[in-house]
Amino acid sequence: MTSSAAYSICVGLEDEFLAFNRLVGVVRRRNLAIESLSIGSGQEAGVARVTIVVRADEGAVDRLVRQLRKVIGVRGAAAEPEASVASRELALIRVRTTGRYAEVLDTAGRFGATVLEESRDEALLEVTGPGPMVLSLIRALEPCGVIDVARSGVVAVSRPGTTSAGFETRSIPDIDSERYQSVLTLRDD
């Protein structure tokens, strides 16, 4: 039996809704345990960077990446094991400070969180770090009264000096190209 591990899959995706819809459809059909999904601007204009963290065996992840590379609108896709990437998550945490202001600031300081805004009874904290560290801060603040939490999802990049498959985007085919026209014809049927 193969054991599952966490993998970060980075996808370069044309910045349009239909491309995202096709990508989600492929991932959903594979029925993998998705731990995180985030989407944001990429290195290239008009290309979004999607980071998907899944827990699966290496074969299932390789099949998913090969399938994603075939999707119209996907410019590139690569998967890396969790140990080969630097990953971070952003969280905004709204917490009560009534009678516990010093405790909240001390706890936030131990985790490297900063106070973005504060009122008489509440504070809004920002923290960036690995997912388990973000979760630990949230748990440490619970006795003070966590009001709201917004987490970004994981973003990841290969670590410097690692030998990786790399993540490079490929150019979009011209509308006039034969291959693209044949795909459009198949979609119209």
Side-chain angles (χ1 to χ4, degrees):
M1 182 175 160
T2 355
S3 65
S4 64
Y7 287 86
S8 292
I9 301 170
C10 295
V11 181
L13 186 67
E14 290 177 23
D15 201 4
E16 63 175 46
F17 180 73
L18 287 176
F20 181 70
N21 195 25
R22 288 187 289 266
L23 174 119
V24 169
V26 168
V27 173
R28 187 176 42 85
R29 282 190 299 274
R30 285 281 169 192
N31 203 23
L32 298 175
I34 297 173
E35 293 184 359
S36 175
L37 185 142
S38 64
I39 186 167
S41 300
Q43 181 178 347
E44 230 178 288
V47 178
R49 183 181 179 101
V50 180
T51 305
I52 308 164
V53 178
V54 297
R55 187 158 296 279
D57 62 84
E58 187 176 0
V61 172
D62 287 342
R63 286 188 296 276
L64 174 61
V65 169
R66 281 196 311 270
Q67 182 118 30
L68 287 172
R69 288 177 179 154
K70 296 176 186 176
V71 172
I72 295 173
V74 169
R75 300 282 228 37
E80 298 289 335
E82 191 174 39
S84 298
V85 296
S87 60
R88 293 294 179 264
E89 185 175 337
L90 169 78
L92 300 175
I93 307 164
R94 202 168 121 209
V95 64
R96 286 193 207 298
T97 57
T98 311
R100 301 181 107 166
Y101 186 76
E103 182 183 348
V104 168
L105 286 184
D106 182 51
T107 304
R110 281 187 282 131
F111 287 89
T114 57
V115 177
L116 291 181
E117 296 180 17
E118 56 188 320
S119 70
R120 195 180 64 178
D121 299 326
E122 299 175 4
L124 178 61
L125 305 175
E126 174 188 28
V127 65
T128 303
M133 191 270 299
V134 171
L135 184 58
S136 294
L137 172 60
I138 295 166
R139 297 291 179 251
L141 290 170
E142 282 177 349
C144 300
V146 173
I147 299 166
D148 196 10
V149 175
R151 295 173 72 173
S152 67
V154 174
V155 292
V157 127
S158 294
R159 292 183 185 280
T162 59
T163 54
S164 65
F167 172 70
E168 296 179 13
T169 58
R170 56 182 159 77
S171 61
I172 302 172
D174 294 326
I175 293 282
D176 299 326
S177 77
E178 244 178 75
R179 178 177 172 261
Y180 196 66
Q181 285 300 326
S182 66
V183 169
L184 289 177
T185 306
L186 290 172
R187 297 268 183 213
D188 291 339
D189 290 342

